[in-house]
Amino acid sequence: MTDQLPAPDVSVRNNDLSNAPGLPLILVVRNERPFLPDFLKHYRALGVKRFFILDDASDDGTPDYLLDQPDVCLLSSTSRYGDIPPEERRPGIVRNKGDLRMIHVWRTELMDRFCMNQWALQCDIDEFLLLPDGKTLSDVIARLEAEGANGAWAGMIDLYPRNIADLAVYPESGFTWPAAEWFFDGVRHFSLRAGKPPRHRYVGVRHRLDVAYAGKEDIGMKNRLKLRLLGARKAPSGTLVKPLIQKWRSGQAFYSSHRTTLALSHRILLPLLHYRYTPAMLRKLEWAPQAGGYSKGNKDYLRIDAMLSKMREENASFLGPRSVPLTGWDSLEKTGNAVW
């Protein structure tokens, strides 16, 4: 890296909180206005005091909403999420070389600029950390510091409603648990292990639904068989664990959206509720597949669009033989998806 300010294409549009006290969270958004009230309320309750939010050219009212939030530092950029970063900003990013975009560079540079030598969180707008009742991020940090760990892994747990028709009934905002009913596949998704990221044990609901409703000819016979097996270790679409909270230090970097150079605790696994099938996703499918810049040539969004279209045709249920209702931390701990 050069000696220039990290993220030189990023500027503070409003409310510079760089020197303010309190736990920070880094977030990049585009057209996520309906999620924002729930997201901010949720993480404020867990102990986040400062939100550094980079808006990627939203046109749905997202920036106007964020301008009114006193704990949000609103950032803007001359680059876009899916832009290919210039060569001089690539050192330290050693993974995803074939799919390297500005988001991978921003993840490192925004942490360098706003979170150096601090505990900090970084996640996506549709990812909500769940903790045991009465616990906050201060308790997580105390656990990690007592262990001498640099941070904690979070395992993404894809949530879904009961039926495809529910997506048309859920409100534009305020649909996150416990305001609405949500389910997940109640099997163990990950195993913690020392010195390595958690091992994938289950491919997840997204691939269960792919097999049932969309793109079977694109998945291939070999992968179709793997998707049906218990204990498959890695989902075909990639990694479903994230370094959610870290003590950031100089010289560290994100390998990808799911890995950093820091070695994280192998004693704590935090469940990250992932609201993948929502009214917001239906809206996003109206523009995201054509917008460009998303992972693997937007294939994920194209696959979801095909799957949900087929489900609507059949008025299908999301539920499978292992579906269980989300009732809180206990329901995730009981299925091996939360370790405290």
Side-chain angles (χ1 to χ4, degrees):
M1 301 292 288
T2 66
D3 292 332
Q4 66 184 355
L5 185 71
D9 56 320
V10 173
S11 60
V12 175
R13 178 174 172 181
N14 184 67
N15 197 23
D16 190 351
L17 298 174
S18 304
N19 298 317
L23 184 66
L25 183 150
I26 299 290
L27 177 68
V28 179
V29 297
R30 184 184 180 196
N31 289 343
E32 302 287 5
R33 172 65 180 81
F35 257 118
L36 285 170
D38 278 4
F39 183 91
L40 294 174
K41 179 182 179 181
H42 181 83
Y43 280 100
R44 285 166 178 156
L46 292 182
V48 173
K49 301 299 184 184
R50 297 177 293 153
F51 296 86
F52 294 91
I53 302 182
L54 174 54
D55 178 64
D56 182 32
S58 294
D59 56 12
D60 70 339
T62 289
D64 292 337
Y65 181 83
L66 294 174
L67 285 170
D68 288 335
Q69 308 304 311
D71 54 358
V72 171
C73 174
L74 179 59
L75 308 171
S76 60
S77 177
T78 55
S79 302
R80 298 297 305 278
Y81 177 108
D83 287 352
I84 304 301
E87 191 66 33
E88 64 271 15
R89 291 174 67 182
R90 295 189 181 204
I93 310 297
V94 296
R95 301 254 176 160
N96 279 349
K97 288 186 178 180
D99 193 29
L100 185 65
R101 293 162 289 134
M102 281 306 302
I103 182 61
H104 302 119
V105 173
W106 282 340
R107 290 194 187 282
T108 295
E109 293 186 344
L110 293 175
M111 294 287 276
D112 284 348
R113 182 166 170 180
F114 298 111
C115 307
M116 186 61 68
N117 298 319
Q118 303 174 58
W119 286 100
L121 284 82
Q122 186 167 161
C123 61
D124 292 331
I125 189 72
D126 57 0
E127 298 168 351
F128 285 54
L129 170 64
L130 187 63
L131 293 178
D133 289 347
K135 299 296 184 182
T136 68
L137 286 162
S138 294
D139 298 302
V140 175
I141 291 170
R143 285 283 306 274
L144 293 171
E145 289 183 336
E147 183 185 329
N150 298 307
W153 291 103
M156 297 169 64
I157 306 297
D158 287 341
L159 300 181
Y160 46 89
R162 184 182 296 273
N163 298 304
I164 186 68
D166 292 335
L167 294 184
V169 176
Y170 283 3
E172 288 288 297
S173 295
F175 52 74
T176 57
W177 182 84
E181 183 181 48
W182 292 96
F183 296 83
F184 67 100
D185 281 10
V187 297
R188 190 178 184 185
H189 288 47
F190 314 104
S191 291
L192 290 164
R193 50 187 182 170
K196 296 180 180 180
R199 179 172 70 86
H200 288 70
R201 299 174 62 93
Y202 177 65
V203 293
V205 61
R206 63 184 69 181
H207 302 296
R208 171 170 67 78
L209 295 173
D210 277 347
V211 168
Y213 296 106
K216 294 184 180 70
E217 67 279 5
D218 295 326
I219 295 173
M221 179 60 72
K222 183 178 179 180
N223 273 333
R224 286 211 303 276
L225 292 173
K226 287 174 65 177
L227 294 180
R228 294 179 186 275
L229 294 176
L230 286 176
R233 297 186 181 186
K234 188 171 182 181
S237 68
T239 307
L240 300 178
V241 293
K242 284 194 166 185
L244 176 69
I245 183 168
Q246 301 169 85
K247 180 68 174 290
W248 197 251
R249 295 179 177 85
S250 177
Q252 304 304 321
F254 275 78
Y255 288 128
S256 69
S257 297
H258 299 269
R259 291 282 306 279
T260 71
T261 51
L262 286 167
L264 307 183
S265 172
H266 63 278
R267 294 184 172 90
I268 299 174
L269 179 64
L270 304 175
L272 199 58
L273 305 180
H274 186 211
Y275 290 93
R276 182 174 174 87
Y277 307 108
T278 65
M281 174 58 79
L282 294 181
R283 225 175 11 260
K284 195 167 189 176
L285 288 172
E286 295 175 2
W287 58 265
Q290 291 77 38
Y294 291 96
S295 178
K296 299 178 182 177
N298 304 329
K299 287 183 179 179
D300 189 38
Y301 285 114
L302 293 170
R303 188 168 61 245
I304 295 173
D305 194 22
M307 183 202 76
L308 293 179
S309 295
K310 182 66 172 176
M311 291 184 72
R312 284 194 293 270
E313 288 177 13
E314 300 181 12
N315 193 26
S317 173
F318 283 95
L319 301 184
R322 296 170 179 169
S323 296
V324 296
L326 175 67
T327 58
W329 172 274
D330 287 349
S331 60
L332 291 161
E333 185 175 51
K334 192 178 300 182
T335 53
N337 293 305
V339 180
W340 180 255

